[in-house]
Amino acid sequence: MMNRQLISRGLAFLILIVCTAAMISPIFFMISTSLKTKSEMLLFPPTWIPQSFQWDNFKELFTNEEIKFGVLYQNSIIIAVLTVIGTVFSSAVVAYGFSRYRGKGRNLLFMLMISTMMLPYPAIMIPQFLLFSDMNWMDTFLPLIVPAFFGSAYQIFLLRQFFNTLPNELYDSGKIDGASELRMFSSIALPLSGPALATVAIFSFVWSWNDLLGPVLYLNSQEKFTLPIGMAAMISSKFRIAPWNLLMCAAIMAVIPVVALFAVAQKRFTEGIVLTGIK
Amino acid sequence: MKNGRKLWFVMLATSMLLTLFLSACGKGGTSEGSSSDPVTITYYTIDSPDRTFVEKLIPDFESKHPNIKVKVDKAPYEQFDSKLQANIAAKKSPDITSHFGYGGFMEYYNKGLLTDLTDIMKADNFKASDYGIQDELMNIYKVDGKTYGIPSNNYVTLMLYNKDMFDKAGVSYPPSDYEDKSWTFDKMIEMAKKLTVVSDDITKTQYGVDFGWGELDMRPAYFGAKVYSDDAWTNGGKPSETYFGSPEAIAAYQKWIGLIWDQKVAPPPAFSKAVAGQFGDPFLSGKIGMSVVGSWSLASQKDFNFKVGVAAVPIGGNPDVRSVLYVDPLFVLKDSKHPKEAYEFIKYMLTTEVQEKSIELSGGTPPVNDNAKEKYYNSFEGVDPQVIKQVYEGANKYGVESYNHLISNYSQLNELLINEFQSVQNGDQKVEAALPGIQEKITKLLERLNK
């Protein structure tokens, strides 16, 4: 009995270790490449451990006048944080409305909103570009941030499903105590929706953080470029060897905020997916 | 109740603050100048140091032309076309650009995106010889005698070889003289056989030659076969007939694919992928003896882990067609509001002084101006300038302009060929079996596109 347990446990660990190694190896290679010299990066077969650790690559990344990594980073953070604020706020309000009110045509409206999820970005790219261009918003962060303040169909859907799971009795008792709708939204719905809100925050942060085409279209001056633009530019030359070692340094730096955010919100995040998934 | 109001107020205040903040972000955007102000022209390019070096030339240009200001807009390679398209749709077209992205000259021309520069140039008495540009090069970007682009850079196709590998195998180096008529395709195969080592251990395997001569549709030209009817060169890049299934074309492709599967001196795609990894070019790994490539590869040679030599492309089936030329032009776009000023800037880019400066600033971009070429030949440490000169001059003499600049809808055509040729290159299908089907698909594609 004891033995069998031991064996199955050992086996489970073995499988887990193998899977972990497989998952970690690209990350390991990213870190290893980031510490290589340019010539070592071209070696075949590739080395797993750099022959000598080039910590200066990181210094080079931040001091390189052409890359301006600090500026890219700052711009990406500004856009992502404002996008998160906008998305969470606007989506929560709209989702609350869809969940609480039962007017005529509610389902139709909801369906209409959901259907916007099916529009791929290239389909709305040019009309949206024309709109923002007419508004004189070119080369500003506005076209990247303001749309977030008008809700996102996916996030609204996610939040509405969550709000729907909150029992009506909570609102009834709120009403008896004389709470306004706004008060019920802020004191009942929001505090109970931590996991869902965390999920929305993470999704919208990652989406904004990774967005490349939007910033490329709307931003023109180098001081306003974001991380994805800068990193795509590093491999844009078809005529030169790309500085993969520096790019890997940039990738490590770019992953940090996402990992940090996930670590902070992890508990709520997983809870959010599970809960909204079941109901 | 009280709390609810407070929250309401906080939300209102936040949103007002945000609006304020955002509108502050929005400021400093476009400010329309009055007519007495200098005009601003936009130069649109790829966001990589070998292209954006133009920014460093602007202060000098502006001091010489106080009435013109130049702004450089840039995008990563993959998004270059999308951004251009959006800007043209929004009537914010840049003034100057080139076919830096996926599309070639003919796509720009056929979409009506280019300004006809003929009259401006005539009024200005433009002489190509003043800028050291050969007349044949000027003809590349003419359609019906009208000029739509002015050459600015002159890449050629050349052969790079791994000196270390040659030394180790005791094989003498390939010649750099294009007039050495003993330097033939067959001789190259012979040489490559001596360099090739095929072993079960991939780290010990090496191949003699990687023959990347132009894009796939160009390879028959090297062996003396043609795939496009001649009208394509004069009618805006729309061939009325294509001959991918002709016996000559089949024989040509067989010779090229034969390097991999019959002679076994060239790397199969799987090997190239394995050793090249993220860098795209297996030659960089030091596992390839000779590599026929565009001359842009020369600019990175200082980063190679081996000594590199430069040689002539051997004679194939047509002694006059040995090198693919990539003459990059500059265009003035149709919607440009200041075509004359844009033209001034292009002229500035072509002067000997600026062309020489550009070599350094871009890290080795070849000038089109003959007077600046000497400097280019001398900018590759460790490679004899005389040899580069010899190879460049021979390549230009026996060169043919790359089809991607001349054939309409080239990106779709090329993509089709790349996909269809995959099974042939992998050895899953014979050339003669695949080509009739490919011909059929190309006919259909062109029928649809060139209607």
Side-chain angles (χ1 to χ4, degrees), chain A residues 38 64 66-67 222 232-243, chain B residues 43-57 72 74-77 98 100 152-155 295-300 302 328 330 349 354-355 357-367 376 380:
Chain A
K38 216 170 174 182
N64 188 314
E66 249 141 26
I67 302 176
Q222 176 118 31
M234 288 165 87
I235 49 167
S236 271
S237 175
K238 298 290 127 187
F239 296 162
R240 307 280 186 271
I241 301 173
Chain B
Y43 179 99
Y44 179 52
T45 190
I46 302 268
D47 191 358
S48 67
D50 56 320
R51 297 287 193 200
T52 51
F53 71 89
V54 176
E55 287 172 338
K56 293 179 188 141
L57 297 167
V72 173
K74 49 200 173 182
Y77 181 81
S98 184
F100 294 129
S152 65
N153 297 113
N154 176 198
Y155 289 101
S295 53
W296 48 83
S297 297
L298 204 51
S300 303
K302 60 178 186 305
D328 281 335
L330 287 171
M349 293 289 290
V354 175
Q355 289 253 302
K357 230 194 269 176
S358 303
I359 301 168
E360 218 165 290
L361 292 175
S362 66
T365 299
Y376 173 75
F380 303 100

Side-chain angles (χ1 to χ4, degrees), chain B residues 150-183:
Chain B
I150 304 178
S152 65
N153 297 113
N154 176 198
Y155 289 101
V156 301
T157 299
L158 40 73
M159 175 182 273
L160 296 183
Y161 60 92
N162 184 333
K163 276 189 173 171
D164 296 355
M165 194 191 279
F166 272 79
D167 291 345
K168 222 173 168 184
V171 182
S172 56
Y173 300 149
S176 56
D177 185 1
Y178 269 80
E179 306 306 330
D180 178 354
K181 303 294 179 193
S182 71
W183 179 224

